[in-house]
Amino acid sequence: MSTLTPGTERRRQTARVSDSGHRVRLTVEVDLLADPIEGVLRHEHGADKPFAGWMSLIRAFELALDDERLRPAPPPPG
């Protein structure tokens, strides 16, 4: 089942988020002046993943998702 979560103050949008427990929140910080794209991908359970370029950003996502998939599954609710 999905729920609606409040969007950012700047965009006033909502996004669908699953309650399944099979989701992870990732945060991307981007240097606005960098060309090509450059920044850091962050997530709660792993090390920060710096990137420079689009391919490096995709690789940072892949590494962060691998980190999450290797974590033990959370206990079922109840």
Side-chain angles (χ1 to χ4, degrees):
M1 180 170 117
S2 295
T3 59
L4 291 177
T5 58
T8 64
E9 287 295 317
R10 294 175 73 183
R11 294 186 184 221
R12 298 282 183 201
Q13 295 177 344
T14 58
R16 292 210 177 272
V17 178
S18 171
D19 296 329
S20 71
H22 296 287
R23 306 268 182 186
V24 62
R25 183 173 302 264
L26 303 171
T27 303
V28 180
E29 293 182 11
V30 177
D31 180 347
L32 293 175
L33 301 178
D35 184 25
I37 190 169
E38 186 176 322
V40 178
L41 180 81
R42 303 181 194 282
H43 66 109
E44 183 178 356
H45 303 114
D48 293 351
K49 311 277 189 285
F51 61 87
W54 291 105
M55 296 299 289
S56 182
L57 172 59
I58 297 304
R59 184 65 181 145
F61 275 113
E62 290 172 338
L63 292 171
L65 293 174
D66 286 347
D67 288 349
E68 289 298 319
R69 289 179 181 125
L70 293 174
R71 288 178 38 81

